Amino acid sequence: MGERILIADDEKEIADLLEVYLTNDGYTVCKAYNGADALKCVEENHIDLAILDIMLPDMDGFHLCQKIREKYYFPIIMLTARVEDNDKIMGLTVGADDYITKPFNPLEVAARVKTQLRRCFKYNAASGQTEKKDECDIRGLVINKSSHKCFLYGRELSLTPTEFSILWYLCEHQGRVIPSEELFEAVWKEKYLNNNSTVMAHIGRLREKLKEPARKPKFIKTVWGVGYEIE
C-alpha cells in the first residue's frame, strides 16, 4: 500500500485519530491544521488522497479544494460538522469526490479512503479497456458477485440469496432510481403484478442488516412513488 494521505483539520484530536486508523491500514499520513500548510504539503509531497475539513482558520475547505483542483486530480473527501445539503452540493461542485459529516466512525472514513483510492487506480490503469464488473465498492459497502459475499466496513453481512440479488442489482445500477417493478422482475424473474409489498419487506430487512437509520439511510434510498436508489 503506502499511499500518502493528507489530513487538513484544525482539530488536532480528529487529525490524530484519523492518523492512527489510516496508519494502521498502511498509509503514510501528512497532517495540516490550516489551508496554507495543506497546500504546502500538497506541493512538497506526492499526495494520493486528501481529507479536508471545511472549517479551517485561514480559508474554508471549499476554497482549499478549488486551489488543489487547479493542479491536482487525486481524490478529495470533505469532512465537516455542517450537514446542510447546500454544503454537500458545494463540496461536490468544487471538485470533491466524497463527503463525510461529523461525528463519524473512523472505520467508515478508512473504508471511504480505500474506496476512493481503488476507483482512482482502476480508472488510471484502465487504458481504455472495459472490465467485467464483478464487485461494487460504495462508501465502505463492498459486494462481490463472484464470491457472493458482502461486507460493510470490513464486517461480512449474512444475506439471503434474494437479499444479495436485490443489493447487487441496486449497486450495479448505482445512481439510477430502480422502479419497484423492475427490481422485482430482475430478482424474482416473474411478472410484477402489484408485488410492491414483497419488495418493501425485503428492502426493510436489508436496511436492518445495513443498520440504516430510518429517516436518513446512507445506502438504500426510497424515491417515493418510483422505487429505490443507491447514490
mmCIF file of all heavy atoms in Angstrom, residues 69-86:
data_model
loop_
_atom_site.group_PDB
_atom_site.id
_atom_site.type_symbol
_atom_site.label_atom_id
_atom_site.label_comp_id
_atom_site.label_asym_id
_atom_site.label_seq_id
_atom_site.Cartn_x
_atom_site.Cartn_y
_atom_site.Cartn_z
ATOM 1 N N ARG A 69 -7.533 21.625 -6.902
ATOM 2 C CA ARG A 69 -8.015 21.154 -8.201
ATOM 3 C C ARG A 69 -7.423 21.953 -9.381
ATOM 4 O O ARG A 69 -7.542 21.531 -10.530
ATOM 5 C CB ARG A 69 -9.540 21.215 -8.251
ATOM 6 C CG ARG A 69 -10.203 20.028 -7.556
ATOM 7 C CD ARG A 69 -10.033 18.761 -8.383
ATOM 8 N NE ARG A 69 -10.589 17.590 -7.705
ATOM 9 C CZ ARG A 69 -9.872 16.667 -7.110
ATOM 10 N NH1 ARG A 69 -8.542 16.777 -7.075
ATOM 11 N NH2 ARG A 69 -10.427 15.624 -6.543
ATOM 12 N N GLU A 70 -6.797 23.076 -9.116
ATOM 13 C CA GLU A 70 -6.152 23.820 -10.205
ATOM 14 C C GLU A 70 -4.995 23.039 -10.808
ATOM 15 O O GLU A 70 -4.655 23.216 -11.977
ATOM 16 C CB GLU A 70 -5.656 25.174 -9.683
ATOM 17 C CG GLU A 70 -6.775 26.151 -9.342
ATOM 18 C CD GLU A 70 -6.245 27.439 -8.726
ATOM 19 O OE1 GLU A 70 -4.998 27.569 -8.630
ATOM 20 O OE2 GLU A 70 -7.048 28.298 -8.342
ATOM 21 N N LYS A 71 -4.364 22.148 -9.999
ATOM 22 C CA LYS A 71 -3.187 21.410 -10.475
ATOM 23 C C LYS A 71 -3.283 19.897 -10.291
ATOM 24 O O LYS A 71 -2.629 19.161 -11.013
ATOM 25 C CB LYS A 71 -1.929 21.891 -9.744
ATOM 26 C CG LYS A 71 -1.557 23.343 -9.964
ATOM 27 C CD LYS A 71 -0.278 23.673 -9.196
ATOM 28 C CE LYS A 71 0.134 25.118 -9.381
ATOM 29 N NZ LYS A 71 1.372 25.447 -8.595
ATOM 30 N N TYR A 72 -4.090 19.443 -9.326
ATOM 31 C CA TYR A 72 -4.031 18.040 -8.933
ATOM 32 C C TYR A 72 -5.398 17.360 -9.059
ATOM 33 O O TYR A 72 -6.435 18.006 -8.912
ATOM 34 C CB TYR A 72 -3.530 17.916 -7.490
ATOM 35 C CG TYR A 72 -2.200 18.604 -7.261
ATOM 36 C CD1 TYR A 72 -2.149 19.895 -6.727
ATOM 37 C CD2 TYR A 72 -0.995 17.981 -7.594
ATOM 38 C CE1 TYR A 72 -0.930 20.543 -6.520
ATOM 39 C CE2 TYR A 72 0.219 18.618 -7.387
ATOM 40 C CZ TYR A 72 0.244 19.901 -6.849
ATOM 41 O OH TYR A 72 1.448 20.531 -6.656
ATOM 42 N N TYR A 73 -5.366 16.050 -9.304
ATOM 43 C CA TYR A 73 -6.597 15.311 -9.574
ATOM 44 C C TYR A 73 -6.784 14.101 -8.666
ATOM 45 O O TYR A 73 -7.606 13.239 -8.941
ATOM 46 C CB TYR A 73 -6.618 14.866 -11.046
ATOM 47 C CG TYR A 73 -6.542 16.025 -11.995
ATOM 48 C CD1 TYR A 73 -5.320 16.409 -12.561
ATOM 49 C CD2 TYR A 73 -7.667 16.782 -12.300
ATOM 50 C CE1 TYR A 73 -5.229 17.499 -13.411
ATOM 51 C CE2 TYR A 73 -7.593 17.868 -13.150
ATOM 52 C CZ TYR A 73 -6.364 18.221 -13.697
ATOM 53 O OH TYR A 73 -6.285 19.306 -14.538
ATOM 54 N N PHE A 74 -6.038 14.020 -7.563
ATOM 55 C CA PHE A 74 -6.225 12.905 -6.644
ATOM 56 C C PHE A 74 -7.574 13.052 -5.933
ATOM 57 O O PHE A 74 -8.136 14.152 -5.865
ATOM 58 C CB PHE A 74 -5.075 12.839 -5.628
ATOM 59 C CG PHE A 74 -4.770 14.118 -4.915
ATOM 60 C CD1 PHE A 74 -5.598 14.595 -3.908
ATOM 61 C CD2 PHE A 74 -3.641 14.870 -5.238
ATOM 62 C CE1 PHE A 74 -5.319 15.776 -3.238
ATOM 63 C CE2 PHE A 74 -3.349 16.051 -4.577
ATOM 64 C CZ PHE A 74 -4.195 16.505 -3.576
ATOM 65 N N PRO A 75 -8.110 11.963 -5.383
ATOM 66 C CA PRO A 75 -9.417 12.027 -4.721
ATOM 67 C C PRO A 75 -9.400 12.955 -3.497
ATOM 68 O O PRO A 75 -8.407 13.023 -2.776
ATOM 69 C CB PRO A 75 -9.676 10.577 -4.293
ATOM 70 C CG PRO A 75 -8.795 9.751 -5.163
ATOM 71 C CD PRO A 75 -7.585 10.581 -5.433
ATOM 72 N N ILE A 76 -10.519 13.649 -3.285
ATOM 73 C CA ILE A 76 -10.676 14.545 -2.140
ATOM 74 C C ILE A 76 -11.970 14.192 -1.410
ATOM 75 O O ILE A 76 -13.030 14.098 -2.028
ATOM 76 C CB ILE A 76 -10.711 16.021 -2.576
ATOM 77 C CG1 ILE A 76 -9.361 16.437 -3.177
ATOM 78 C CG2 ILE A 76 -11.075 16.927 -1.402
ATOM 79 C CD1 ILE A 76 -9.346 17.852 -3.733
ATOM 80 N N ILE A 77 -11.847 14.003 -0.095
ATOM 81 C CA ILE A 77 -13.009 13.746 0.763
ATOM 82 C C ILE A 77 -13.197 14.939 1.684
ATOM 83 O O ILE A 77 -12.266 15.341 2.377
ATOM 84 C CB ILE A 77 -12.810 12.469 1.595
ATOM 85 C CG1 ILE A 77 -12.661 11.239 0.687
ATOM 86 C CG2 ILE A 77 -13.981 12.269 2.558
ATOM 87 C CD1 ILE A 77 -12.330 9.956 1.435
ATOM 88 N N MET A 78 -14.378 15.536 1.690
ATOM 89 C CA MET A 78 -14.684 16.655 2.574
ATOM 90 C C MET A 78 -15.182 16.107 3.908
ATOM 91 O O MET A 78 -16.012 15.184 3.945
ATOM 92 C CB MET A 78 -15.758 17.567 1.965
ATOM 93 C CG MET A 78 -15.448 18.080 0.571
ATOM 94 S SD MET A 78 -13.950 19.090 0.470
ATOM 95 C CE MET A 78 -14.482 20.589 1.306
ATOM 96 N N LEU A 79 -14.679 16.674 4.998
ATOM 97 C CA LEU A 79 -15.034 16.238 6.346
ATOM 98 C C LEU A 79 -15.511 17.454 7.125
ATOM 99 O O LEU A 79 -14.754 18.414 7.291
ATOM 100 C CB LEU A 79 -13.811 15.618 7.024
ATOM 101 C CG LEU A 79 -13.997 14.998 8.410
ATOM 102 C CD1 LEU A 79 -14.899 13.782 8.326
ATOM 103 C CD2 LEU A 79 -12.645 14.614 8.985
ATOM 104 N N THR A 80 -16.770 17.415 7.620
ATOM 105 C CA THR A 80 -17.306 18.612 8.249
ATOM 106 C C THR A 80 -18.442 18.314 9.209
ATOM 107 O O THR A 80 -19.096 17.277 9.110
ATOM 108 C CB THR A 80 -17.814 19.596 7.181
ATOM 109 O OG1 THR A 80 -18.343 20.755 7.813
ATOM 110 C CG2 THR A 80 -18.899 18.959 6.336
ATOM 111 N N ALA A 81 -18.655 19.233 10.134
ATOM 112 C CA ALA A 81 -19.782 19.125 11.060
ATOM 113 C C ALA A 81 -21.039 19.734 10.460
ATOM 114 O O ALA A 81 -22.129 19.587 11.009
ATOM 115 C CB ALA A 81 -19.448 19.823 12.374
ATOM 116 N N ARG A 82 -20.908 20.426 9.338
ATOM 117 C CA ARG A 82 -22.060 21.054 8.711
ATOM 118 C C ARG A 82 -22.780 20.024 7.848
ATOM 119 O O ARG A 82 -22.179 19.382 7.000
ATOM 120 C CB ARG A 82 -21.608 22.248 7.866
ATOM 121 C CG ARG A 82 -21.115 23.390 8.733
ATOM 122 C CD ARG A 82 -20.191 24.342 8.002
ATOM 123 N NE ARG A 82 -20.781 24.931 6.821
ATOM 124 C CZ ARG A 82 -20.207 25.919 6.125
ATOM 125 N NH1 ARG A 82 -19.046 26.417 6.522
ATOM 126 N NH2 ARG A 82 -20.780 26.405 5.056
ATOM 127 N N VAL A 83 -24.099 19.866 8.077
ATOM 128 C CA VAL A 83 -24.835 18.787 7.422
ATOM 129 C C VAL A 83 -25.827 19.286 6.371
ATOM 130 O O VAL A 83 -26.568 18.497 5.801
ATOM 131 C CB VAL A 83 -25.593 17.935 8.466
ATOM 132 C CG1 VAL A 83 -24.612 17.273 9.410
ATOM 133 C CG2 VAL A 83 -26.596 18.781 9.254
ATOM 134 N N GLU A 84 -25.852 20.583 6.110
ATOM 135 C CA GLU A 84 -26.803 21.107 5.142
ATOM 136 C C GLU A 84 -26.514 20.559 3.743
ATOM 137 O O GLU A 84 -25.362 20.391 3.347
ATOM 138 C CB GLU A 84 -26.746 22.636 5.095
ATOM 139 C CG GLU A 84 -27.269 23.323 6.350
ATOM 140 C CD GLU A 84 -26.216 23.429 7.437
ATOM 141 O OE1 GLU A 84 -25.116 22.885 7.233
ATOM 142 O OE2 GLU A 84 -26.500 24.042 8.477
ATOM 143 N N ASP A 85 -27.595 20.284 2.994
ATOM 144 C CA ASP A 85 -27.431 19.759 1.637
ATOM 145 C C ASP A 85 -26.643 20.724 0.759
ATOM 146 O O ASP A 85 -25.893 20.302 -0.115
ATOM 147 C CB ASP A 85 -28.808 19.495 1.003
ATOM 148 C CG ASP A 85 -29.467 18.244 1.580
ATOM 149 O OD1 ASP A 85 -28.738 17.421 2.169
ATOM 150 O OD2 ASP A 85 -30.690 18.110 1.442
ATOM 151 N N ASN A 86 -26.819 22.038 0.982
ATOM 152 C CA ASN A 86 -26.107 23.022 0.168
ATOM 153 C C ASN A 86 -24.601 22.874 0.311
ATOM 154 O O ASN A 86 -23.845 23.062 -0.644
ATOM 155 C CB ASN A 86 -26.527 24.441 0.555
ATOM 156 C CG ASN A 86 -27.919 24.787 0.052
ATOM 157 O OD1 ASN A 86 -28.433 24.136 -0.859
ATOM 158 N ND2 ASN A 86 -28.534 25.798 0.637
#
